[in-house]
Amino acid sequence: MIQPSSLLLIPLIAFFLQSVNALKVNKEYNRPQFHLTPEKGWMNDPNGLWYDRKDKLWHAYYQHNPNSTVFESPISWGHSTSKDLIKWEYKGVAIEAEEEYKDNQGIYSGSVVIDRHNTSGFFNKSQDPEQRVVALYTLNTPTAQTQELAYSVDGGFSFIKYEKNPIIDVHTTQQRDPKVFWHEGTEKWIMVLAKAQEYKVEIWSSPNLKDWEFESFFTSGISGYQYECAGIFELPIENPKSDDPDTKWVLVLAVNPGAPMGGSVNQYFIGDFDGKAFYANDHVTRIQDYGKDYYAFQSFENTDSEDGAIGLAWASNWQYAIVVPATNHRHSQSLARKHTLKYVNVNPENNQLVLVQTPVLETKETKKNSSLKSWEVINQYDLEDTNLTSETFVATDFNSERNSSGVLDFNLTFTVAPESADYFVININSQIVQGTQETIQATFDPQQTTWFIDRSTQNDFQRKTPYYQERSSVYHQYASKDDDDIKTYHVYGIVDRNILELYFNNGEMTATNTFFFSQNKIPSSISIATDTEEEVFTIESLTIRELGFKCGCEK
Amino acid sequence: MIQPSSLLLIPLIAFFLQSVNALKVNKEYNRPQFHLTPEKGWMNDPNGLWYDRKDKLWHAYYQHNPNSTVFESPISWGHSTSKDLIKWEYKGVAIEAEEEYKDNQGIYSGSVVIDRHNTSGFFNKSQDPEQRVVALYTLNTPTAQTQELAYSVDGGFSFIKYEKNPIIDVHTTQQRDPKVFWHEGTEKWIMVLAKAQEYKVEIWSSPNLKDWEFESFFTSGISGYQYECAGIFELPIENPKSDDPDTKWVLVLAVNPGAPMGGSVNQYFIGDFDGKAFYANDHVTRIQDYGKDYYAFQSFENTDSEDGAIGLAWASNWQYAIVVPATNHRHSQSLARKHTLKYVNVNPENNQLVLVQTPVLETKETKKNSSLKSWEVINQYDLEDTNLTSETFVATDFNSERNSSGVLDFNLTFTVAPESADYFVININSQIVQGTQETIQATFDPQQTTWFIDRSTQNDFQRKTPYYQERSSVYHQYASKDDDDIKTYHVYGIVDRNILELYFNNGEMTATNTFFFSQNKIPSSISIATDTEEEVFTIESLTIRELGFKCGCEK
């Protein structure tokens, strides 16, 4: 175990992109900057994610109570918008229960579709076809969960509830989270619903978003206590085999509680969808993210198919969501991720389709028009072809004279000599406050080809809270192997105040974990070290960056 | 969080079964007493488990190197026997590689069958039909894994390798762990094999144990890096529904690495078996044990069907198996467990078949003949109908004047008032050594109906070892609910030196975790406490016992 007491800089190709300015950043230690958070109050599941092609604006709604930092009534749909999926503007509450029912009704999770051709009849010519917004959600009451509908004639900022709600009522308290999309093949709207405690993903169809017919259900994998937040979408295969189609369908499914790793988890299945039923290719269940904090994933509606599916997940776990430290808000969403499918060597004898996830730091639109992009690189550190040993370790020193933005990312490609039993540690270090520095760690063990994540800090909260699991792990097969059995691995990580997202081998596996430094410390440096004297590990390439918002230049 | 600094005894119905004698127990702090351990050296998977009906003797073999405490060549089959499944006698190595190949060959996992009718032709009249022992195992070499056979003419103490080995050779390094049984319906021997990296459970059949034919394969659930140690057995259903058969088949499957909870895990599937293929009832994957230390489960051959299936699992995890503290041996098996199937309310709307596991503290034979039973109750503490509050908590004080045996169990039935947000903690406390006492904890949270297990101790090892996950959790639905929404739960726990096995609701879920107190401390007391002043928790019944071996009375 390595705990470097002083950080040694190896300034091989280190350079500063800009001078050290005072940063205009929010100093709330537990408010991620590049991750969507509500201005105040509680947030859980992402809802109604869609992209406005006319105004080039990303809309995210979410389960929200602006006046409480725990999950309690009234739960509404909060709303935020973004030009680049990184900087979000809080727009307040978009859909809420009627005033008289607020204590007994919740506007629970659901989705948004663009009813371009006005199948619903809610729109007229004054609404641009790209802004004919229909939201479908679950109305929760103490005695029932019904599926309801509301539409927006102002581009998704306010909603009018359908007067003939509910659109689906099967007289249960356990049917929820409608995720709707248009299916070209059958020319119908498809709704995917969780019949939570029967462990059924229900598939319904409709010509007009108002009248729904039950088609089929799907059950598989880990069941836990209940199903939630199911979804189906079609994805391109990056490297299709010759007898393959170019795309496959993915069914995502949230389970809580009862995840094998504790509490909340998202799993996925790969298969085919014909407009009536989902057919899994195999009976294998796959975990969407191996961290503790990735739940209730939803994909954006109305993105271009070339983008794959872009989506968000809630970055917490019901095991401890209401008890983790909070100031005036609680929880964030994950970074937006792009999803595709790819054949990957999951072990030396098996090449399988897996979901590949990439953080969306730059969208198609921000690439075309950089004024849409809200962020920039404040500092950057690069390294190539360097042996990592106990004598030579790597550490950034961006922030010796000022505070960090608290947003750091690293992109590491490394090789491991055969038969190595040593390991190395990526340390994510806090500021020094009152003489103390804290570190969370990701340790790579080549014998097990596994990353061990330790998010323990000095924060009293974690010692007092049995719910909070400090350590987790991700098995991570090598990306490639050369003739001499030297194995190559990749890892990309982004640390944003109190959340760490790790993407292994270009996103074949991911792990998302929140953490809580004490004394409101924020992350300020990254170091990588090993205690082996042998030349076991070679850093082929490493970039560490400090990221921040552009200062006053947002349009 | 409750950390009682002084233990208060509530002596409602506490009594001592016998006077405080000096205990004849082994004081190795990390050698469980009631769990199978090798006299010295390394142990992993259980192998060749069988019951000798003639001599009323339980045989267990296991992956073993008597001369090393890590997994390294040569790996042989170690051998232990027991009259009661609790006290085991070490018999040394039963099957090993030929002397000249020892460094390159391993006798890997496999099973034993009783060839009562001499289908193999290895036996003659001088061998009692109940002791015609045939072992089938994987011979591992650097270039191949083949399935091989050996037989015993002395009741399983020594083996003769079949001269025409291998019996199966498909030219792979990734086919292993034959588990064989006799299938009445087809009157054939069935072998279940892991085609490890292809994620296939292979099913083969044979008339004579020597000539094998491939029948089918099965893939489902969590796949991780590789499959290992598959098995199939038929189990009685405790509460069959009217349209049900009385039995179903279970397929068990070990996966390592890549378990969702990290490293090694056993999952199971419920279905039907016709002698050719296994047909899962559903595509749901179920976890066999929610602890970190339960792997490579195997069922005993030749038990009575009324016993259900009795089996053992290796009580460790490949994530840290070679680094946890050890003295002259490393690792134990789990307690022998009896397995049946039962319809259980997995949530309020769903009643499903699940595997029910019961620790075998008393066998059919020891019930008939108590001289076969090796253990006794040293101390016992009983409590009934008591409210647990911050004012009144429960603690044993068995051992104020002497050392404990280090083996304690508890059987707790409790109720929880509706809507409670409080929780209570079961503390398993060590001896006091040099003024310090350590505690591991199982915390029950009724809001989440979840147990949170915290095995962190003061042992330096755990802080230095990123592999070692201190905290885990088990979701645990109530056993029953009354008209006033008061919920009843059960938990049985057994602590044996450095292993804690928890059985929830009479074994509907289990969690097995090893732990390592510092300074060679052993467990010596149990306390249960809450910090709520309200009468939320009622202990309906509680028995805490200190267990030990009978002193010099073993036959």
Side-chain angles (χ1 to χ4, degrees):
Chain A
M1 175 57 78
I2 296 135
Q3 280 283 14
S5 55
S6 67
L7 300 180
L8 170 67
L9 177 68
I10 309 175
L12 292 191
I13 317 171
F15 58 94
F16 286 80
L17 284 194
Q18 64 172 58
S19 62
V20 176
N21 290 321
L23 291 169
K24 290 184 184 168
V25 291
N26 186 328
K27 285 300 174 197
E28 285 179 81
Y29 85 108
N30 61 2
R31 184 186 290 281
Q33 301 295 294
F34 281 30
H35 288 72
L36 169 56
T37 57
E39 189 172 278
K40 58 177 185 154
W42 170 264
M43 166 194 270
N44 58 295
D45 307 353
N47 297 150
L49 306 180
W50 71 287
Y51 178 63
D52 180 340
R53 295 183 188 181
K54 177 168 175 286
D55 289 347
K56 299 198 190 317
L57 195 64
W58 298 88
H59 290 259
Y61 309 85
Y62 36 83
Q63 293 291 284
H64 184 43
N65 182 338
N67 301 312
S68 171
T69 54
V70 298
F71 179 80
E72 64 179 353
S73 289
I75 292 292
S76 304
W77 274 28
H79 183 205
S80 295
T81 61
S82 176
K83 290 175 181 162
D84 69 347
L85 288 170
I86 297 293
K87 191 179 180 87
W88 291 91
E89 280 185 35
Y90 181 65
K91 299 293 178 186
V93 169
I95 310 179
E96 61 188 331
E98 304 305 310
E99 192 63 39
E100 59 192 305
Y101 301 117
K102 265 192 175 174
D103 289 342
N104 285 314
Q105 289 192 348
I107 307 296
Y108 274 20
S109 289
S111 56
V112 153
V113 293
I114 305 309
D115 186 17
R116 206 170 274 112
H117 302 296
N118 196 19
T119 64
S120 62
F122 293 130
F123 304 101
N124 57 42
K125 287 184 181 172
S126 68
Q127 285 92 39
D128 189 288
E130 293 299 334
Q131 294 183 331
R132 294 176 176 176
V133 178
V134 178
L136 301 102
Y137 56 85
T138 298
L139 182 74
N140 184 72
T141 71
T143 54
Q145 289 188 333
T146 53
Q147 313 319 316
E148 314 239 328
L149 186 155
Y151 57 97
S152 172
V153 294
D154 64 356
F157 291 88
S158 68
F159 286 83
I160 300 156
K161 287 179 187 149
Y162 178 40
E163 59 186 5
K164 294 187 181 166
N165 276 332
I167 51 172
I168 296 179
D169 180 2
V170 297
H171 308 292
T172 174
T173 60
Q174 298 295 330
Q175 185 199 47
R176 56 184 174 270
D177 312 334
K179 173 63 176 159
V180 179
F181 63 98
W182 178 256
H183 185 250
E184 286 294 344
T186 55
E187 296 194 320
K188 281 189 178 169
W189 297 104
I190 301 297
M191 180 189 290
V192 186
L193 266 174
K195 196 73 181 292
Q197 296 189 350
E198 292 178 23
Y199 303 129
K200 288 180 180 169
V201 176
E202 294 185 340
I203 296 167
W204 295 65
S205 70
S206 169
N208 58 9
L209 295 169
K210 297 189 269 192
D211 304 304
W212 291 91
E213 187 178 345
F214 175 78
E215 295 284 357
S216 68
F217 69 85
F218 175 83
T219 299
S220 194
I222 296 158
S223 49
Y225 179 73
Q226 60 189 359
Y227 280 5
E228 296 192 320
C229 298
I232 294 180
F233 43 88
E234 192 175 12
L235 286 185
I237 299 173
E238 289 187 25
N239 53 354
K241 298 191 173 174
S242 58
D243 53 348
D244 255 3
D246 291 339
T247 66
K248 279 278 180 183
W249 291 78
V250 168
L251 186 149
V252 293
L253 178 56
V255 171
N256 177 73
M261 52 270 250
S264 316
V265 71
N266 256 64
Q267 59 185 329
Y268 70 96
F269 306 90
I270 302 170
D272 298 297
F273 179 69
D274 62 3
K276 293 184 171 291
F278 180 83
Y279 309 92
N281 283 356
D282 55 35
H283 300 154
V284 173
T285 181
R286 295 169 174 90
I287 304 291
Q288 211 167 332
D289 184 290
Y290 281 83
K292 284 285 288 190
D293 298 308
Y294 199 84
Y295 190 65
F297 172 86
Q298 184 176 107
S299 58
F300 276 88
E301 176 71 9
N302 210 32
T303 57
D304 273 1
S305 60
E306 66 182 87
D307 288 330
I310 294 176
L312 301 176
W314 178 49
S316 190
N317 189 314
W318 283 113
Q319 282 195 323
Y320 45 71
I322 62 168
V323 295
V324 294
T327 46
N328 73 331
H329 86 287
R330 217 184 229 127
H331 304 308
S332 79
Q333 303 297 328
S334 70
L335 279 188
R337 296 182 184 178
K338 175 183 164 181
H339 300 74
T340 56
L341 292 170
K342 189 177 174 187
Y343 282 96
V344 161
N345 293 322
V346 292
N347 64 37
E349 299 199 350
N350 211 322
N351 187 261
Q352 285 192 347
L353 268 188
V354 304
L355 191 65
V356 171
Q357 303 176 56
T358 316
V360 181
L361 287 167
E362 304 202 60
T363 66
K364 197 171 55 211
E365 296 77 25
T366 61
K367 282 177 190 163
K368 284 182 199 159
N369 178 357
S370 67
S371 75
L372 295 173
K373 187 180 143 184
S374 64
W375 64 278
E376 63 189 355
V377 178
I378 298 170
N379 276 308
Q380 182 164 329
Y381 172 73
D382 292 289
L383 190 66
E384 281 182 347
D385 298 329
T386 304
N387 289 314
L388 185 74
T389 68
S390 55
E391 296 298 307
T392 55
F393 64 98
V394 175
T396 62
D397 189 21
F398 295 151
N399 306 299
S400 54
E401 294 177 28
R402 58 165 183 76
N403 279 324
S404 157
S405 66
V407 188
L408 301 162
D409 76 350
F410 54 93
N411 203 342
L412 172 63
T413 302
F414 62 97
T415 62
V416 182
E419 308 291 329
S420 169
D422 300 294
Y423 50 88
F424 72 81
V425 182
I426 300 179
N427 299 287
I428 295 156
N429 307 303
S430 76
Q431 304 159 281
I432 298 171
V433 174
Q434 295 178 344
T436 68
Q437 186 176 41
E438 291 166 61
T439 299
I440 64 163
Q441 301 183 311
T443 301
F444 182 68
D445 173 2
Q447 272 201 319
Q448 305 197 49
T449 63
T450 296
W451 288 85
F452 293 90
I453 297 150
D454 188 338
R455 60 175 174 173
S456 48
T457 66
Q458 299 302 313
N459 197 320
D460 270 354
F461 140 76
Q462 85 181 25
R463 268 189 295 277
K464 285 182 186 159
T465 308
Y467 316 117
Y468 191 73
Q469 183 182 305
E470 300 100 331
R471 287 175 171 180
S472 57
S473 61
V474 189
Y475 159 73
H476 170 220
Q477 181 69 336
Y478 49 83
S480 63
K481 187 169 81 166
D482 75 10
D483 290 343
D484 294 325
D485 271 352
I486 291 173
K487 292 170 182 162
T488 301
Y489 301 82
H490 309 288
V491 58
Y492 172 80
I494 181 163
V495 190
D496 185 4
R497 295 289 171 93
N498 74 318
I499 185 169
L500 170 63
E501 297 196 17
L502 294 169
Y503 297 77
F504 306 104
N505 288 354
N506 300 315
E508 294 167 10
M509 282 198 173
T510 66
T512 301
N513 288 285
T514 56
F515 59 93
F516 300 91
F517 286 138
S518 68
Q519 298 169 296
N520 293 6
K521 294 184 183 99
I522 64 172
S524 77
S525 71
I526 289 174
S527 57
I528 307 177
T530 179
D531 58 4
T532 179
E533 297 170 11
E534 310 294 319
E535 295 189 348
V536 169
F537 302 110
T538 302
I539 293 177
E540 292 206 334
S541 68
L542 169 65
T543 298
I544 302 176
R545 305 187 298 182
E546 181 184 353
L547 310 176
F549 289 124
K550 291 179 189 172
C551 301
C553 49
E554 299 93 292
K555 287 290 183 310
Chain B
M1 173 60 77
I2 296 133
Q3 279 282 16
S5 55
S6 66
L7 301 179
L8 171 68
L9 177 68
I10 309 175
L12 291 189
I13 316 169
F15 57 92
F16 286 78
L17 284 194
Q18 62 173 57
S19 61
V20 177
N21 291 322
L23 292 170
K24 290 182 187 169
V25 291
N26 185 328
K27 285 298 174 197
E28 286 178 83
Y29 86 106
N30 61 1
R31 183 185 290 280
Q33 302 295 294
F34 282 29
H35 289 71
L36 170 56
T37 57
E39 189 172 277
K40 59 179 184 153
W42 170 266
M43 167 194 269
N44 60 296
D45 306 352
N47 298 150
L49 308 179
W50 70 287
Y51 178 63
D52 180 341
R53 296 184 187 178
K54 177 168 174 283
D55 288 348
K56 299 195 190 318
L57 195 64
W58 298 87
H59 290 259
Y61 309 86
Y62 37 83
Q63 293 289 282
H64 183 44
N65 181 338
N67 300 312
S68 171
T69 54
V70 297
F71 179 79
E72 65 180 352
S73 290
I75 293 292
S76 304
W77 275 27
H79 183 205
S80 295
T81 60
S82 176
K83 289 174 181 163
D84 69 348
L85 289 169
I86 297 293
K87 190 181 182 87
W88 291 90
E89 280 184 34
Y90 181 65
K91 299 294 178 185
V93 169
I95 310 179
E96 60 189 332
E98 303 305 308
E99 191 62 40
E100 59 191 308
Y101 300 117
K102 264 191 175 175
D103 289 341
N104 284 313
Q105 288 192 348
I107 306 296
Y108 275 19
S109 289
S111 56
V112 153
V113 292
I114 304 310
D115 185 16
R116 206 170 274 112
H117 301 297
N118 198 17
T119 63
S120 62
F122 292 131
F123 303 101
N124 58 42
K125 287 186 180 171
S126 67
Q127 286 91 39
D128 189 290
E130 293 298 334
Q131 294 183 332
R132 293 174 177 177
V133 177
V134 178
L136 302 102
Y137 56 87
T138 299
L139 183 73
N140 183 74
T141 71
T143 55
Q145 291 188 333
T146 53
Q147 314 318 316
E148 313 237 329
L149 185 157
Y151 58 96
S152 172
V153 294
D154 65 356
F157 291 88
S158 68
F159 285 83
I160 302 155
K161 288 177 187 149
Y162 178 39
E163 61 187 6
K164 295 186 182 165
N165 277 334
I167 51 171
I168 296 180
D169 179 3
V170 296
H171 308 292
T172 175
T173 60
Q174 298 295 332
Q175 185 199 49
R176 57 183 173 272
D177 313 334
K179 173 63 176 160
V180 179
F181 63 98
W182 178 255
H183 184 250
E184 286 292 345
T186 55
E187 296 195 322
K188 280 187 178 170
W189 296 103
I190 301 296
M191 180 190 290
V192 186
L193 266 174
K195 197 74 180 293
Q197 297 189 350
E198 293 178 22
Y199 303 129
K200 288 179 179 170
V201 176
E202 295 185 341
I203 295 166
W204 296 65
S205 69
S206 169
N208 58 10
L209 295 169
K210 297 188 272 193
D211 304 305
W212 291 92
E213 187 178 346
F214 175 77
E215 295 283 357
S216 67
F217 68 85
F218 175 83
T219 299
S220 194
I222 297 158
S223 49
Y225 179 74
Q226 59 190 359
Y227 280 4
E228 297 192 320
C229 298
I232 295 180
F233 43 88
E234 192 175 11
L235 287 186
I237 299 173
E238 288 185 28
N239 52 355
K241 298 190 174 176
S242 58
D243 53 349
D244 256 4
D246 291 339
T247 66
K248 278 278 181 185
W249 290 78
V250 168
L251 187 150
V252 293
L253 178 55
V255 171
N256 176 72
M261 53 268 254
S264 316
V265 70
N266 255 64
Q267 59 185 327
Y268 70 94
F269 306 90
I270 302 170
D272 298 296
F273 179 69
D274 64 2
K276 293 182 172 294
F278 180 83
Y279 309 92
N281 283 357
D282 55 36
H283 300 156
V284 174
T285 181
R286 296 168 174 91
I287 304 290
Q288 211 167 332
D289 184 290
Y290 280 82
K292 285 285 288 189
D293 299 308
Y294 199 83
Y295 190 64
F297 172 85
Q298 185 176 105
S299 58
F300 276 88
E301 175 72 8
N302 210 33
T303 57
D304 273 2
S305 59
E306 68 182 85
D307 287 330
I310 294 176
L312 300 176
W314 179 48
S316 189
N317 189 312
W318 283 112
Q319 283 195 322
Y320 46 71
I322 63 169
V323 296
V324 294
T327 45
N328 72 332
H329 87 286
R330 219 186 225 124
H331 303 309
S332 78
Q333 304 297 329
S334 70
L335 278 187
R337 295 182 184 178
K338 174 183 165 180
H339 300 73
T340 56
L341 292 170
K342 190 177 173 185
Y343 281 97
V344 162
N345 293 324
V346 291
N347 64 35
E349 297 198 351
N350 211 322
N351 187 262
Q352 285 192 347
L353 267 189
V354 304
L355 191 64
V356 171
Q357 303 177 54
T358 316
V360 181
L361 287 167
E362 303 202 58
T363 65
K364 197 171 55 208
E365 296 77 26
T366 59
K367 283 178 189 162
K368 283 184 200 159
N369 179 355
S370 67
S371 74
L372 295 173
K373 186 179 144 184
S374 64
W375 63 279
E376 62 188 356
V377 178
I378 299 171
N379 276 309
Q380 181 165 328
Y381 173 73
D382 292 289
L383 190 66
E384 281 182 347
D385 298 328
T386 303
N387 288 315
L388 186 75
T389 69
S390 55
E391 297 297 307
T392 55
F393 65 97
V394 175
T396 62
D397 189 21
F398 295 151
N399 307 297
S400 54
E401 293 176 30
R402 59 165 181 77
N403 280 323
S404 158
S405 65
V407 188
L408 301 161
D409 74 351
F410 55 92
N411 202 343
L412 171 63
T413 302
F414 62 97
T415 62
V416 182
E419 308 291 328
S420 168
D422 300 293
Y423 49 88
F424 73 82
V425 183
I426 299 178
N427 298 287
I428 295 157
N429 308 302
S430 76
Q431 301 159 282
I432 298 171
V433 173
Q434 295 176 344
T436 69
Q437 185 176 41
E438 290 166 62
T439 297
I440 64 165
Q441 299 182 313
T443 300
F444 182 69
D445 174 3
Q447 272 200 317
Q448 305 197 49
T449 62
T450 296
W451 288 86
F452 293 91
I453 297 152
D454 188 337
R455 59 176 175 172
S456 49
T457 66
Q458 299 302 314
N459 198 321
D460 270 354
F461 139 78
Q462 86 179 25
R463 268 189 296 275
K464 287 181 184 161
T465 307
Y467 316 117
Y468 190 75
Q469 183 184 303
E470 300 98 332
R471 288 174 171 180
S472 56
S473 61
V474 188
Y475 158 73
H476 170 220
Q477 180 70 335
Y478 50 81
S480 63
K481 188 169 80 165
D482 74 10
D483 291 342
D484 295 324
D485 270 351
I486 291 173
K487 292 171 182 162
T488 301
Y489 300 83
H490 310 287
V491 57
Y492 172 79
I494 180 162
V495 190
D496 185 4
R497 294 289 169 94
N498 74 318
I499 185 170
L500 169 63
E501 298 195 17
L502 294 168
Y503 297 78
F504 305 105
N505 288 356
N506 300 316
E508 292 166 12
M509 284 201 172
T510 65
T512 302
N513 287 285
T514 55
F515 60 93
F516 299 91
F517 286 137
S518 69
Q519 297 168 298
N520 293 5
K521 294 184 184 101
I522 64 173
S524 76
S525 71
I526 290 174
S527 58
I528 307 176
T530 180
D531 58 4
T532 179
E533 296 170 11
E534 309 294 318
E535 293 189 350
V536 168
F537 301 111
T538 301
I539 293 177
E540 291 205 334
S541 67
L542 169 66
T543 299
I544 303 176
R545 304 187 297 181
E546 181 184 355
L547 310 176
F549 289 124
K550 291 180 190 172
C551 302
C553 49
E554 298 93 294
K555 286 293 182 313

